Amino acid sequence: MERPLSAVWAASRAGVRRRRLQTVSIGVVVALSTATLLFGFGLLAASNSLFDDAFARARGAQATAAFDAAEVSAARVAATARAAGVTAAAGPFQTAVLRQARASAGMPGPGQDLRVAGRADPGGPVDRLTITSGRWVRGPGEIVLHGRPGGALRVGGTLSSPGLPELTIVGFAISVTGSADGWVAPAQIGALRPDGLQMLYRFARAGDSPQVQRSLAEATAGLPVTGNESYVTVRQAFQERFNQLIPFITVFGALAMAVSAIIIGTVVSGAVVAGFRHIGVLKALGFTPAQVTAVYLVMVMTPALAGCAAGVAAGHLMADAMAENMARGFELPSAWGATLLLDAAAGGCVVVLVALAALGPALRAGRLPAVQAISAGAVSRRGRGRGPQRWLARTRLPAPVALGLGLPVARPARTALVLTALGLGVTAATLGLGLHQTVSKIMTADPEGHTSVTVGAAPFGPTRPDLSERQVFTLLREQPGTAHVMSYDLLKVRGAGLPDGLTAETYNGDYRPFLGDNLIRGRWFTGPGEVVPSESLLRLHHLRVGDTLTLRAEDGAPARVRIVGSFAQPDPNRLMLDARNFPDSEGAAGLRRPISVIVTPGTAPADYAARINALLSGDGMSAKVTEPETGGAVVFHGLFLLLSLIICTAAGLGVLNGVLLNAQERSRDLGVLKAVGMTPRQVALMMVTSMAALGAVGAALGIPLGVAVHHAVVDLTGRLTAGGMAASWIHVYDWWLLALPACAGLLIAVLGSWPPAGRAAATRTATVLRGE
Amino acid sequence: MDEHADTVVRLASVHKTYGDVVALGGVTLRIRRGEAVAVMGPSGSGKSTLLNMVAGLDRPTCGSVVVDGEDLTGMGESALARFRRRRIGMVFQFFNLLDDLPALENVALAGRLVGMPPRKARARALELLDRLGIADRQGAYPAVLSGGERQRVGVARALMNRPALLLADEPTGALDSRTGDQVVDLLLDLNRTGQTLLLVTHDERLATRCATRLVEFTDGRIVRETEPNRSRPWSVR
Ligand SMILES: Nc1ncnc2c1ncn2[C@@H]1O[C@H](COP(=O)(O)OP(=O)(O)OP(=O)(O)O)[C@@H](O)[C@H]1O
Ligand SMILES: [Mg+2]
């Protein structure tokens, strides 16, 4: 069969060369979907392993323990490294706090309290640091900061803290668990008034939080530990952020695949429909059905393979860049995106998908009866859609418009193809835009999303501030630029009939503007006596809005609260309520609760924070600008925008291809119409009218479908994940969000038909009629 | 020569119906090697249907079709395609060239299909185009060729694999009378060198000029057979 294969090759090569738009569309659609899939795979792989990989490679500390240097000697701390259950340890490192540290050459702004450790070596058995910029410290006068250069903090800059020697920033490094904010040489730390000792451990048993705590307690037996941090917390914070988004990433990936499969299917179907005569000729020449199928498959697979290769290359680069970005966002030392295995998986998936999508139409081409195919050009088709056409002809519409509107009805099969491409394009774009909107809302739903400045006890302050919460509220409200003030804290509570270990988020003050839009049912609490539990708590315990709970803080009086709503949150042990429900535990001895402030519009949070710092630092308090969520809101924003863009481009190309094909096909009819006396302008008007009609119908079908699919997907995600979906995350469509894909569909339809319409209008009638 | 080797086409009471329409109503016909048979008749009388039967493009509702010793009735689609590529050459009223290939490749493709190496196929295609007087148009795409040129390319393509039978359905139907005459001369020449020919036409003048036998059709049946050029020495071998 080798020889006849060459005939298949010859026939398909010619098809590929001459049907340039079709070939290019297939190539681009495949490239985009391969890139999308690879990107999605990379993302899923990263969500699964980004932290664990980085943690394993850095031999991260499973527990970090801090000791008071005044109470324990370094030798006794060092001895804990040899305790049973400790597999590796680093330290003790002397630690000091640089208060109100700021870049000397920096812009004015609030200083930061930095906890630095004296450490000789970035490597070692535990917590190997990754130097992201510059170099490690070599001696006194130098410091390496955690993270990456940014703003006034850069290699070569200096850092000063009141009353302490100035330090030159020689580099930046990342610790996977963030063991310190900065590192200096051991010879330097003595000059920074060290007051603590830090010890980093890896244990034989550290699978979960209790295990880590137990192992740590065994190792440090008897020693007073002033603070400890478990890697489980860090990992959880990382995964929580991620898990909420995985369903969406999956939906996007699947969506991209579906869109490209359907578009490739319609492109190939279009090629078959348009190639009726072509198929007949091949058959008359003696191509077997299998060979005809092969010709059409090769015609598709050639550009598809090229597109796939390009897509893998682009997707690989994108996935790497994304992983790098996420590593930055999550402050991880390093990450890799796509691997060769993922490349192969994504490429293979897409190739199989394209082959399957093309197989149907290609088989149809092979099965097409030869006689029917060959006479397709010569025999007139049976008149269809005559009713609507006759009706249109009787309306008062201008003849070209009436004829144009009738054209789609006359050729239902071809019209259906273009309509499918258009409708799907609009559906995909609508769905994509909606999902993007939903994810953005999820990312900014937390109360922190609304906070501009937080005020609290200075983190490493010597004493507890002695101002009460009420006093600070009053003080802040007197400041210009303050819009809303509240305090927020977590409180362990017990509920009658509920398991132990409930965490209540208690709010005080003017909290309503801070509450996010992550409400699923009912409304937010407005005062004492009301509670809003997490949706997962309601579901788990079969509670309903309107039910009453009895809650009790550790040692306080019980509070009876009515459930007035629920919020999206996967943790089934969470409640939100007014802090006044637990009067006993409210700010008894000085300020404990961190305070959040929303500044008035036009007030710069940094200036505001600086002002508050100047005002309150004497009282052991500090104000800090709330940073945008470092866990990657920005990264995800860009990511979903990119995915939507890819889906919309693929859909747009499919539409354009269908429209162009349809318009080209009609050039013969147009020749006939011109022959009977239509002017070129009328011909062009007719073509554009017919496509605009299709565009309008496509939008009319695609928009509701897209909205319906969006609601179904988001709702289903909410049902499947414990957290639930807030109503405001489901109903995200504004009129402009719907107008966008509708206009795009119409625009593509009209623009796509313009060039062939113009060409058909311009070519001489004789040429059109003679052209086969 | 025995009768079997001498017969290229043998139709035995071939019927073909499309729903209620009877396209062929029992056609029995034998064509000998070297004959040029012209089928005539009013529109819709079943001429093209007959040709499609012989080419194996369509199947009879009942009756048998034997071409060049092969019974087409029981063959599958692929077998029919293989039969077609070796034994049949087809010429169409509207040429039916592949727009995507230049003239030479259109002709060579038929050769590639039976396993001819590309170089050899191209050489033979060029030789045929040369014989038909359009070797200088070998690189042109169908869209820029004149009707007569396109039909010559079509004929060259049909001859590529030295078919036992050349079928032509109104080969001059889309051409002006002068160009049409040239194509007819071409077919006549071919028949003179031994090519068996089955021709469908409306044009009586054309039919009488080049056919050794004239078959007239009405409503799917043969109503008359004549041999206008009986004296032609090559008509019966
Ligand atoms: N695929 C088909 N489906 C239904 N009817 C068909 C089909 N092909 C042919 N016919 C019918 O069969 C009859 C014979 O058709 P055929 O094409 O053989 O006529 P013809 O003699 O070639 O006519 P013309 O000279 O106009 O080409 C006609 O009535 C035609 O309508
Ligand atoms: Mg006919």
Side-chain angles (χ1 to χ4, degrees):
Chain A
M1 280 307 279
E2 200 200 55
R3 287 286 162 69
L5 206 67
S6 77
V8 170
W9 260 114
S12 12
R13 253 208 335 265
V16 166
R17 264 207 311 273
R18 296 266 294 184
R19 275 174 243 278
R20 233 172 273 135
L21 178 77
Q22 177 194 318
T23 305
V24 169
S25 305
I26 292 177
V28 172
V29 168
V30 169
L32 287 176
S33 34
T34 311
T36 310
L37 188 66
L38 183 53
F39 193 57
F41 277 174
L43 206 56
L44 288 180
S47 74
N48 214 9
S49 63
L50 197 61
F51 181 82
D52 289 342
D53 284 348
F55 190 77
R57 263 182 299 161
R59 299 188 52 79
Q62 284 160 339
T64 304
F67 303 89
D68 189 338
E71 291 181 24
V72 207
S73 75
R76 283 184 65 196
V77 172
T80 60
R82 293 184 295 276
V86 175
T87 55
F93 304 126
Q94 283 186 291
T95 60
V97 176
L98 305 185
R99 287 180 208 295
Q100 295 297 310
R102 63 177 73 218
S104 314
M107 294 153 275
Q112 270 176 292
D113 290 352
L114 298 179
R115 191 174 37 154
V116 298
R119 186 165 168 174
D121 176 13
V126 180
D127 193 32
R128 292 179 185 153
L129 308 179
T130 305
I131 296 181
T132 55
S133 172
R135 60 167 175 82
W136 189 245
V137 288
R138 293 200 186 121
E142 297 180 343
I143 187 167
V144 166
L145 292 178
H146 186 261
R148 289 180 168 85
L153 297 178
R154 54 186 165 74
V155 173
T158 54
L159 193 78
S160 61
S161 169
L164 293 177
E166 202 172 65
L167 298 168
T168 305
I169 303 169
V170 295
F172 288 82
I174 285 182
S175 149
V176 67
T177 50
S179 55
D181 301 322
W183 296 271
V184 295
Q188 170 71 63
I189 192 81
L192 302 178
R193 297 202 284 271
D195 55 1
L197 290 169
Q198 184 187 57
M199 196 69 193
L200 310 173
Y201 300 98
R202 286 178 71 88
F203 300 117
R205 271 205 306 264
D208 55 19
S209 218
Q211 275 186 6
V212 172
Q213 292 306 336
R214 220 173 301 130
S215 298
L216 181 66
E218 275 169 30
T220 59
L223 293 184
V225 176
T226 53
N228 72 75
E229 227 168 70
S230 150
Y231 81 109
V232 179
T233 328
V234 183
R235 186 170 67 175
Q236 245 169 18
F238 174 83
Q239 281 174 340
E240 247 173 46
R241 207 81 210 136
F242 234 122
N243 290 343
Q244 223 171 4
L245 293 163
I246 283 179
F248 291 99
I249 296 169
T250 313
V251 166
F252 258 80
L255 186 67
M257 288 305 94
V259 166
S260 47
I262 293 170
I263 281 175
I264 285 165
T266 55
V267 166
V268 184
S269 292
V272 170
V273 169
F276 246 53
R277 201 182 54 86
H278 182 250
I279 294 163
V281 175
L282 291 181
K283 293 204 151 177
L285 275 180
F287 278 75
T288 62
Q291 283 175 324
V292 172
T293 300
V295 166
Y296 273 75
L297 272 184
V298 171
M299 232 158 79
V300 173
M301 292 317 284
T302 311
L305 285 175
C308 186
V312 164
H316 194 105
L317 292 181
M318 269 161 48
D320 274 353
M322 173 268 310
E324 183 59 37
N325 255 334
M326 289 213 304
R328 270 166 198 270
F330 290 106
E331 297 233 304
L332 291 177
S334 67
W336 71 88
T339 60
L340 280 181
L341 191 71
L342 288 184
D343 289 351
C349 272
V350 172
V351 167
V352 168
L353 200 76
V354 172
L356 286 179
L359 196 62
L363 281 175
R364 191 162 97 85
R367 273 201 310 264
L368 213 61
V371 184
Q372 193 185 328
I374 209 159
S375 54
V379 175
S380 316
R381 278 159 297 269
R382 268 199 215 114
R384 251 183 292 198
R386 291 234 169 101
Q389 274 180 312
R390 221 177 302 136
W391 177 79
L392 280 167
R394 266 190 266 128
T395 60
R396 280 163 187 239
L397 291 168
V401 174
L403 266 173
L405 289 176
L407 272 184
V409 197
R411 301 254 175 104
R414 287 148 221 234
T415 303
L417 277 179
V418 179
L419 210 54
T420 310
L422 265 169
L424 267 169
V426 174
T427 305
T430 310
L431 174 56
L433 285 172
L435 285 180
H436 180 242
Q437 203 72 3
T438 298
V439 171
S440 308
K441 288 201 168 185
I442 292 179
M443 307 284 330
T444 56
D446 302 355
E448 298 102 77
H450 300 279
T451 304
S452 26
V453 173
T454 50
V455 182
F460 309 105
T463 50
R464 285 254 155 110
D466 31 45
L467 290 176
S468 76
E469 185 171 302
R470 200 165 313 230
Q471 283 170 310
V472 179
F473 273 17
T474 317
L475 247 166
L476 287 175
R477 287 205 182 102
E478 282 165 2
Q479 293 304 307
T482 308
H484 305 281
V485 185
M486 70 149 194
S487 71
Y488 151 90
D489 203 7
L490 296 178
L491 187 66
K492 291 270 171 235
V493 295
R494 271 168 308 164
L498 293 175
D500 279 355
L502 295 182
T503 306
E505 296 178 10
T506 60
Y507 291 81
N508 211 357
D510 180 15
Y511 49 71
R512 181 62 191 92
F514 291 84
L515 299 177
D517 45 14
N518 51 346
L519 195 70
I520 292 188
R521 300 172 209 220
R523 57 171 175 81
W524 287 113
F525 51 94
T526 51
E530 295 178 343
V531 67
V532 174
S534 70
E535 173 71 11
S536 39
L537 186 147
L538 282 197
R539 287 189 199 170
L540 194 63
H541 304 293
H542 307 289
L543 292 169
R544 266 174 309 184
V545 172
D547 292 351
T548 303
L549 298 176
T550 305
L551 301 175
R552 185 194 291 272
E554 290 295 305
D555 44 5
R560 279 178 64 78
V561 287
R562 201 164 55 83
I563 299 175
V564 293
S566 74
F567 70 104
Q569 160 71 256
D571 181 356
N573 296 318
R574 282 252 172 181
L575 313 146
M576 287 169 77
L577 72 174
D578 193 299
R580 284 170 289 171
N581 283 304
F582 307 107
D584 307 344
S585 38
E586 184 198 344
L591 179 73
R592 270 190 326 104
R593 301 162 57 87
I595 292 173
S596 303
V597 178
I598 297 178
V599 295
T600 52
T603 307
D607 296 346
Y608 182 88
R611 228 161 355 102
I612 302 299
N613 268 327
L615 187 76
L616 293 178
S617 58
D619 297 305
M621 290 174 55
S622 76
K624 221 174 86 190
V625 176
T626 308
E627 302 287 335
E629 178 58 58
T630 46
V634 185
V635 176
F636 278 114
H637 232 64
L639 164 70
F640 280 98
L641 206 64
L642 189 71
L643 285 173
S644 319
L645 208 69
I646 287 174
I647 290 174
C648 294
T649 311
L653 265 178
V655 171
L656 195 64
N657 188 72
V659 169
L660 273 181
L661 201 70
N662 212 0
Q664 269 164 1
E665 257 223 313
R666 284 186 179 153
S667 60
R668 198 184 198 124
D669 300 0
L670 300 182
V672 176
L673 287 172
K674 281 173 75 181
V676 301
M678 262 200 183
T679 67
R681 182 180 301 212
Q682 283 176 316
V683 166
L685 176 62
M686 186 191 73
M687 296 260 308
V688 173
T689 305
S690 79
M691 283 303 153
L694 287 188
V697 175
L701 295 176
I703 298 259
L705 192 64
V707 172
V709 174
H710 171 271
H711 286 5
V713 164
V714 177
D715 194 54
L716 187 70
T717 313
R719 265 171 230 279
L720 293 181
T721 55
M725 279 299 151
S728 67
W729 299 344
I730 299 179
H731 302 284
V732 293
Y733 288 103
D734 282 330
W735 67 267
W736 61 267
L737 210 55
L738 297 177
L740 218 63
C743 292
L746 206 62
L747 205 68
I748 288 178
V750 170
L751 287 184
S753 61
W754 208 282
R759 219 177 308 133
T763 39
R764 298 223 317 279
T765 312
T767 323
V768 175
L769 284 180
R770 215 186 65 183
E772 287 188 270
Chain B
M1 239 176 251
D2 70 298
E3 197 213 0
H4 211 77
D6 198 26
T7 303
V8 180
V9 178
R10 182 189 293 282
L11 304 183
S13 34
V14 170
H15 287 257
K16 179 71 188 181
T17 53
Y18 294 105
D20 296 340
V21 180
V22 178
L24 293 179
V27 174
T28 300
L29 180 68
R30 178 178 164 223
I31 300 174
R32 284 176 301 253
R33 211 167 287 284
E35 264 193 304
V37 175
V39 179
M40 294 196 61
S43 186
S45 57
K47 308 181 296 289
S48 297
T49 308
L50 175 81
L51 224 59
N52 288 339
M53 294 294 153
V54 174
L57 283 170
D58 210 346
R59 294 161 188 284
T61 311
C62 69
S64 82
V65 181
V66 179
V67 179
D68 205 23
E70 297 206 45
D71 188 350
L72 307 192
T73 339
M75 281 192 196
E77 278 294 313
S78 303
L80 280 175
R82 277 190 288 273
F83 152 78
R84 209 151 46 226
R85 64 168 85 130
R86 291 182 184 281
R87 311 287 174 85
I88 302 284
M90 286 188 92
V91 179
F92 304 91
Q93 176 177 1
F94 293 105
F95 327 124
N96 276 334
L97 301 179
L98 295 177
D99 303 337
D100 307 332
L101 293 173
L104 184 75
E105 296 299 333
N106 252 293
V107 179
L109 185 64
R112 302 274 293 273
L113 208 51
V114 297
M116 236 185 252
R119 190 170 308 189
K120 209 175 142 207
R122 259 185 234 124
R124 168 146 174 83
L126 191 57
E127 184 191 310
L128 282 168
L129 289 181
D130 192 35
R131 225 169 95 195
L132 301 184
I134 47 165
D136 54 327
R137 305 294 281 148
Q138 56 166 304
Y141 281 91
V144 303
L145 293 175
S146 76
E149 286 168 337
R150 286 189 217 181
Q151 197 55 299
R152 280 156 202 259
V153 176
V155 173
R157 182 178 66 183
L159 294 176
M160 187 68 191
N161 297 327
R162 300 187 175 82
L165 180 63
L166 188 65
L167 302 176
D169 195 347
E170 316 235 9
T172 60
L175 303 174
D176 64 55
S177 65
R178 241 191 72 214
T179 326
D181 280 349
Q182 286 171 1
V183 170
V184 169
D185 286 344
L186 193 64
L187 294 177
L188 199 56
D189 262 2
L190 288 170
N191 181 240
R192 282 194 181 122
T193 55
Q195 177 68 57
T196 314
L197 206 62
L198 176 55
L199 178 77
V200 167
T201 181
H202 271 114
D203 186 345
E204 179 142 18
R205 195 177 61 91
L206 184 157
T208 47
R209 223 177 106 209
C210 75
T212 55
R213 184 146 59 106
L214 232 161
V215 176
E216 281 178 59
F217 255 65
T218 304
D219 294 337
R221 287 171 195 281
I222 297 175
V223 291
R224 196 147 67 109
E225 284 194 55
T226 49
E227 300 201 9
N229 300 312
R230 215 195 147 85
S231 56
R232 244 154 82 181
W234 49 84
S235 63
V236 178
R237 243 188 242 181

